[in-house]
Amino acid sequence: MARRLPPLNALRAFESAARHLSFTKAAEELHVTQAAVSHQIKGLEEWLGMPLFRRMNRALILTETGQSYLPPVRDALDTLSQATERLFRMDGSGALTISTMPSFAAKWLVMRLGRFQARHPELEVRLHTTPQLVDFAQQDVDIGIRFGAGNWPGLRCERLMTEDIYPVCSPSLLNGPRPLRRPEDLRHHTLLHDDYFITWGTWGEAAGVEGLDHARGPRFDDSALLLQVAAEGGGVALARGVLVADDVAAGRLVRLFDVHLPGNYAYYVAAPPHYFTRPKVKAFRDWLFEEAAADPAPKAAPKAVAGHSRILSAAESATTSTPDA
């Protein structure tokens, strides 16, 4: 059934005149003559079959009909304006908005973005970091990078990187008063815990360590902060390979032992399917995969432990079970 809608220009004239209670000010705002505004509103009143204004000698007053009609007209024009602005921002070449988790941004993406910006100086890069899921229909985001199973409904998800989990520490701890030579040596050190990742108990079982009090030590809900504390000698952390690779390559952290746990989740590039046809999104997506291929994180660690897989806490399961980016 076809919508029954009045002319858009008449609605704009009505909303402006009703807001200012003046045909003159509405004409100035819309860059037309006062007579044009009066003509548009008269036509709208005839189309509706009811008056919207009372025209007094020195005042313009909304009728009861006009008062009830103004809020939905204003809301409709605002919605149309916002949708149009969103389209210009999404399809224009001026800005690219990327959404990802704070830890991934801090430990991997930020230090590489300069290379993308140098290749595409025409784009203004905007980085939106949040642990929360993003609604592409409501937020001005062009592309997302998320960690999970890659099955977010309504989104095209391309696997970017997988990762392993292994212990790391500051070089100062490696050869300190209590050297870390074997997994059993962890008994003498502070264990740092990532609240949203694999537990020390799971890793200790895989490494065959007995008598390790895996519950002790501070807990963190930010993987980047966890690695910072480890780099400062605050303890031994179970590291996510993608996030820690640059710190290990730079010597800020040292990888311990020869046992790692393979993760069964990965980093994904995610967005609604039609977004990938946009030149700026395609350019960023292609660059991401180039960077991932050159990532210093080892593609295969020395010794994988069979029979153990990454275990999500309840909190992380919640963040990876619905669409995000």
Side-chain angles (χ1 to χ4, degrees):
M1 181 178 177
R3 292 184 177 89
R4 188 182 180 188
L5 298 173
L8 178 60
N9 283 340
L11 291 177
R12 292 178 65 219
F14 163 69
E15 190 276 336
S16 181
R19 182 162 28 89
H20 293 294
L21 289 178
S22 168
F23 286 176
T24 301
K25 291 182 179 179
E28 293 173 356
E29 181 178 275
L30 299 175
H31 304 290
V32 297
T33 65
Q34 181 180 351
V37 170
S38 179
H39 177 75
Q40 289 285 355
I41 291 175
K42 182 179 179 181
L44 179 61
E45 290 176 322
E46 291 176 351
W47 191 91
L48 293 170
M50 55 192 77
L52 298 171
F53 292 96
R54 288 196 184 94
R55 297 157 177 81
M56 315 297 286
N57 288 336
R58 294 181 177 273
L60 188 66
I61 301 173
L62 280 167
T63 64
E64 185 176 341
T65 299
Q67 292 175 12
S68 65
Y69 198 41
L70 175 60
V73 168
R74 180 174 53 219
D75 292 345
L77 292 175
D78 286 345
T79 299
L80 183 59
S81 174
Q82 292 164 8
T84 303
E85 287 298 322
R86 189 179 298 118
L87 281 178
F88 282 135
R89 286 194 295 269
M90 289 190 301
D91 289 330
S93 61
L96 173 75
T97 302
I98 308 155
S99 176
T100 191
M101 304 81 63
S103 58
F104 184 80
K107 303 304 293 183
W108 194 91
L109 185 59
V110 166
M111 61 194 70
R112 291 166 170 80
L113 270 179
R115 292 197 283 269
F116 176 77
Q117 194 72 79
R119 184 182 297 184
H120 296 280
E122 77 281 4
L123 293 177
E124 176 190 348
V125 176
R126 299 172 182 170
L127 187 57
H128 175 251
T129 61
T130 175
Q132 305 301 320
L133 308 181
V134 170
D135 186 345
F136 280 92
Q138 298 296 325
Q139 295 175 264
D140 294 329
V141 172
D142 295 299
I143 191 168
I145 309 165
R146 287 288 158 173
F147 188 80
N151 57 353
W152 301 294
L155 302 182
R156 171 177 162 183
C157 304
E158 299 182 346
R159 188 168 68 176
L160 181 66
M161 290 182 287
T162 58
E163 63 181 3
D164 297 321
I165 302 96
Y166 46 82
V168 296
C169 72
S170 165
S172 64
L173 289 187
L174 185 64
N175 300 307
R178 294 180 178 273
L180 285 157
R181 299 285 183 262
R182 302 174 303 157
E184 289 77 10
D185 296 333
L186 289 169
R187 299 190 188 102
H188 309 298
H189 292 269
T190 299
L191 302 182
L192 306 177
H193 302 264
D194 190 331
D195 275 347
Y196 298 109
F197 212 60
I198 199 166
T199 67
W200 273 108
T202 302
W203 185 90
E205 179 185 351
V209 182
E210 297 181 359
L212 179 65
D213 182 4
H214 54 76
R216 62 185 169 83
R219 314 190 74 86
F220 300 84
D221 61 2
D222 185 317
S223 298
L225 180 58
L226 173 85
L227 295 178
Q228 179 181 337
V229 172
E232 293 174 356
V236 182
L238 275 179
R240 301 165 62 170
V242 169
L243 301 186
V244 79
D246 288 324
D247 285 325
V248 171
R252 291 184 291 270
L253 287 166
V254 178
R255 180 173 176 173
L256 299 173
F257 320 126
D258 64 349
V259 177
H260 79 281
L261 294 181
N264 53 2
Y265 288 83
Y267 290 92
Y268 285 84
V269 177
H274 64 281
Y275 280 34
F276 285 86
T277 64
R278 296 171 179 165
K280 62 183 178 182
V281 172
K282 183 180 184 302
F284 183 69
R285 178 263 179 209
D286 291 347
W287 172 83
L288 270 180
F289 277 88
E290 288 180 23
E291 290 289 330
D295 189 81
K299 300 301 182 286
K303 179 183 178 184
V305 180
H308 290 272
S309 61
R310 179 177 173 276
I311 299 174
L312 286 174
S313 69
E316 187 170 357
S317 296
T319 64
T320 58
S321 61
T322 52
D324 76 329

